[in-house]
Amino acid sequence: MGMTEDTAQKSPTAISSSAMTTDQPAPSPARNAGLTDIGLLVLRLGAGGAALQAGLIKAFDFSTTSQFMADAGWRLPKFAAFMVTTAETVGGIGLLLGALTPLAACAVLSAMLCAWAVNVSGAAFWSEPFNVPFLIGIGAAALLFAGAGSYSVDSRFLRRFSWSSRLIIALLVLAVAAAVLTWVALYGVNPIHFTAPAT
């Protein structure tokens, strides 16, 4: 006896096939936003913590820091050491707390650009271009654009501050300009070498 069309549609195979092709529900926007906020918190802890550590090391042994910069040929070494120490320390705290995050990210990015230039200036550029200052600077730049997320002082207490796209771009330009100006005015050494510089 032949199987009717209705019976075929209700067979276990047909039911199983129908169940396998059922679309899964898409993740809710609230869940995605929560995961993004956790990701931003992790990024802030990493970039902010590393910048703060670098700043505190210099602050607690400031005389050694300024002497190191003097020996390296920096002009006004105490002033230069004060600038980088302040940028790393204050900027690192700002990133950790997520407080005035674009300003903190601007300070850290500027300091890391100078630190990156110091690291690559002593050898061929391609020997170690993606060093620790480079990675911290990339993290700071990402936070400059993305913001601190929900788990931050900005989100809890400083919502009245508005960071427009133009202001964010202006802070990025300021970070790069401050790093270049500091490097040229206080050091003046070409940091990019395609072969190891002569000693």
Side-chain angles (χ1 to χ4, degrees):
M1 185 176 180
M3 183 179 295
T4 65
E5 183 177 350
D6 290 342
T7 305
Q9 290 178 351
K10 296 178 181 179
S11 66
T13 302
I15 295 173
S16 175
S17 176
S18 176
M20 291 175 62
T21 58
T22 301
D23 292 337
Q24 296 294 326
S28 66
R31 177 176 179 272
N32 287 339
L35 293 177
T36 300
D37 288 329
I38 293 174
L40 290 172
L41 174 61
V42 172
L43 182 58
R44 280 179 22 233
L45 292 177
L52 178 59
Q53 180 196 31
L56 290 178
I57 289 173
K58 295 177 178 67
F60 286 124
D61 197 358
F62 188 77
S63 59
T64 299
T65 301
S66 56
Q67 186 60 49
F68 169 80
M69 300 188 82
D71 293 341
W74 284 75
R75 293 182 284 274
L76 302 176
K78 291 184 178 180
F79 176 66
F82 174 78
M83 286 180 61
V84 68
T85 300
T86 302
E88 291 175 345
T89 304
V90 177
I93 293 173
L95 291 185
L96 278 176
L97 297 177
L100 300 175
T101 303
L103 291 177
C106 175
V108 170
L109 176 57
S110 185
M112 289 303 116
L113 285 171
C114 282
W116 174 84
V118 169
N119 283 12
V120 300
S121 64
F125 172 73
W126 288 112
S127 63
E128 194 182 356
F130 307 115
N131 47 40
V132 173
F134 176 89
L135 297 177
I136 299 173
I138 287 293
L143 290 167
L144 174 60
F145 285 98
S150 295
Y151 306 114
S152 65
V153 172
D154 285 343
S155 178
R156 300 286 180 176
F157 305 108
L158 300 177
R159 291 187 178 181
R160 66 181 180 275
F161 286 93
S162 177
W163 304 96
S164 66
S165 299
R166 289 185 178 182
L167 182 55
I168 295 299
I169 296 298
L171 288 174
L172 176 65
V173 173
L174 175 62
V176 175
V180 172
L181 181 61
T182 299
W183 183 269
V184 172
L186 299 182
Y187 199 29
V189 175
N190 176 21
I192 306 300
H193 306 283
F194 294 101
T195 59
T199 57

